[in-house]
Amino acid sequence: MQGTVKVPGDKSISHRALILGAIASGESTVRGISAGADVLSTASCLRALGVEIEEGNVQGHGMRGLRAAGRPLDCGNSGTTMRLLAGLLSAQDFESELIGDESLSRRPMDRVVQPLREMGARAEWPPLRVGGDKHLHGIEYAPPVPSAQVKSAVLLAGLYAEGGTAVVESVRTRDHTEVMLGAMGAHVAVDGMRVAVECTERLQPLHLHVPGDFSAAAFWMMAGGLVPRSDLRLLGVGVNPTRTAFADLLASIGVRIDRANARFEAREPVADLRIRPTSEIRRVHVEHDQAAQMIDELPVLAVAATQALGTSVISGAAELRVKESDRLYAMEEGLRAMGADITASEDGWVINGPRYLEGARVDSAGDHRVAMALAVAGMIADGTTEIEGAECVDISYPGFFDDLESLS
Ligand code: S3P
């Protein structure tokens, strides 16, 4: 694999730019926004709440300017849309109902409902209904499961709550919400694992170019690390340290990753990455905190483990069971069909390598990250790999297969 890729705009930052832009005072300009279906779901929910969004220009309505949609808000496949909007809408004086596709309807929402109720909000699930009473009070909340979505939901509600609101994490999750709120003039205080916000009257509009999505780049980092004689350049990738644990791990097992052109974009660090392979992948050992910090990259890490010498153990990732699909099961099925020695445990996988992979017919389970991880497995397998439901890559990376063709 040789060549240069510009990965899509970061999905997490794109959601947040639209949502925070919607409650800013004035017009935000967001360039390079993700064209993935998940971010389109956020945009369409915000439009239903009265916000005009055109080509990344978001007309902010101020903190109190949203209006009731009058119908359920369809979050599609997107957990981030549903959880972040639940936080924001729990603080509005109208009620909202949030719905989603079959996968999203199965995912746990009690994790946001519970802290929002503690803040005095009206919130129930299932179905997810929030808001209708705007008297929230601040809390100090320690989420039982590390989750940037839950943290963000509480912080968004906290912008409307009397007294300060704080989230105290056990593992540092992606911090894009607090970074962006700070850039928009909100009172945000980060002290170690504690993030606090205060009730906010006004947010300044945003002007940013969304960095490339590290979690999308991860598929090329893995492909470039595994396919012999590869040399890949990934341009303008977001390298916020709360996202890059996977790159550190790849470097520790032998993949060469060089950074160039380091810069900042709206307080988010960005760099170009050059990826070169290793002739021998070392086995991986991932546990609790580390697993939480590379949760979206674990499916493709499992592919690397099939090529590593010895037994790799990935644990502490029970969250993968409640993502867009049961990712522990979906990757076990897919990689096993290709000849891998992989067993899913309660909270991870045990993988014995190295094994030659052979092309097979595998199932994406309708999950974008499973589809892309299996495509990377297909690149190092003998013969043809057919991925059922591969069009689900559109959720986060609509041009994935075009980029794959351009590189191989
Ligand atoms: C996200 C947080 C993560 C991640 C998801 C995006 C976000 O989920 O898996 O793809 O943008 O906040 P959790 O917060 O549930 O771990």
Side-chain angles (χ1 to χ4, degrees):
M1 300 191 77
Q2 304 269 338
T4 301
V5 185
K6 178 117 190 50
V7 295
D10 186 82
K11 178 161 84 75
S12 294
I13 295 176
S14 297
H15 284 298
R16 286 156 174 81
L18 291 176
I19 292 171
L20 292 176
I23 54 168
S25 299
E27 181 175 325
S28 291
T29 48
V30 188
R31 300 292 169 247
I33 200 161
S34 162
D38 271 7
V39 173
L40 297 181
S41 293
T42 290
S44 86
C45 289
L46 291 170
R47 285 194 188 102
L49 293 160
V51 182
E52 304 88 60
I53 301 172
E54 213 166 312
E55 291 185 4
N57 297 336
V58 186
Q59 300 298 333
H61 281 227
M63 297 298 291
R64 299 276 174 205
L66 301 176
R67 60 161 167 71
R71 59 183 156 86
L73 296 164
D74 189 353
C75 305
N77 190 245
S78 174
T80 310
T81 307
M82 188 173 265
R83 295 195 178 117
L84 268 57
L85 285 181
L88 176 66
L89 295 174
S90 73
Q92 310 301 317
D93 57 6
F94 53 84
E95 191 186 78
S96 301
E97 181 172 339
L98 296 133
I99 59 170
D101 69 6
E102 208 189 310
S103 150
L104 186 55
S105 305
R106 279 196 304 265
R107 295 180 64 187
M109 293 299 146
D110 42 345
R111 56 180 65 188
V112 284
V113 163
Q114 196 220 328
L116 295 175
R117 276 196 189 151
E118 276 181 40
M119 296 177 80
R122 287 179 49 201
E124 54 187 62
W125 174 78
L128 187 58
R129 287 207 192 95
V130 294
D133 182 353
K134 57 181 175 181
H135 300 293
L136 270 55
H137 53 84
I139 56 169
E140 175 139 337
Y141 188 64
V145 181
S147 166
Q149 295 175 355
V150 172
K151 172 174 66 175
S152 301
V154 172
L155 295 177
L156 287 171
L159 296 175
Y160 295 84
E162 213 179 295
T165 298
V167 178
V168 185
E169 298 191 283
S170 58
V171 179
R172 193 90 196 272
T173 63
R174 64 193 70 193
D175 64 359
H176 307 300
T177 302
E178 45 272 44
V179 168
M180 202 176 281
L181 279 172
M184 297 173 84
H187 293 284
V188 184
V190 180
D191 181 9
M193 307 295 266
R194 184 176 186 275
V195 191
V197 292
E198 282 171 31
C199 190
T200 300
E201 288 298 315
R202 193 174 183 283
L203 290 175
Q204 291 152 22
L206 270 172
H207 302 286
L208 91 156
H209 197 287
V210 179
D213 195 324
F214 180 87
S215 301
F219 297 101
W220 305 128
M221 293 168 72
M222 199 68 265
L226 290 175
V227 176
R229 295 182 303 283
S230 294
D231 191 352
L232 299 185
R233 282 170 210 267
L234 310 174
L235 302 183
V237 181
V239 287
N240 177 318
T242 61
R243 295 287 295 279
T244 52
F246 173 75
D248 301 337
L249 183 80
L250 285 196
S252 79
I253 61 171
V255 178
R256 273 185 71 186
I257 304 175
D258 296 305
R259 288 187 188 188
N261 229 341
R263 57 215 188 255
F264 276 87
E265 188 60 64
R267 302 193 184 184
E268 290 280 352
V270 178
D272 300 336
L273 305 179
R274 181 175 183 195
I275 316 296
R276 279 168 292 174
T278 167
S279 53
E280 194 185 290
I281 289 273
R282 291 192 279 277
R283 68 201 170 98
V284 300
H285 208 97
V286 174
E287 288 174 338
H288 180 249
D289 288 11
Q290 218 186 352
Q293 289 184 319
M294 55 177 88
I295 196 75
D296 291 341
E297 293 78 36
L298 290 177
V300 80
L301 184 63
V303 179
T306 69
Q307 303 308 301
L309 182 64
T311 301
S312 292
V313 181
I314 297 170
S315 64
E319 269 301 285
L320 292 182
R321 296 239 180 245
V322 291
K323 290 290 183 187
E324 287 83 327
S325 72
D326 176 345
R327 289 181 176 162
L328 292 181
Y329 173 77
M331 289 306 297
E332 178 193 44
E333 286 284 293
L335 290 176
R336 192 178 273 168
M338 298 175 77
D341 179 347
I342 173 170
T343 307
S345 64
E346 237 168 61
D347 66 346
W349 303 280
V350 177
I351 300 168
N352 292 308
R355 292 283 186 279
Y356 284 108
L357 298 185
E358 277 187 55
R361 195 182 170 96
V362 292
D363 186 3
S364 69
D367 183 326
H368 57 130
R369 296 203 200 279
V370 171
M372 291 186 275
L374 292 174
V376 172
M379 288 175 216
I380 54 167
D382 278 342
T384 305
T385 298
E386 253 180 84
I387 304 167
E388 274 183 66
E391 65 280 359
C392 65
V393 299
D394 286 357
I395 289 294
S396 63
Y397 197 159
F400 177 79
F401 288 106
D402 298 330
D403 283 349
L404 193 161
E405 253 173 56
S406 82
L407 291 174
S408 21

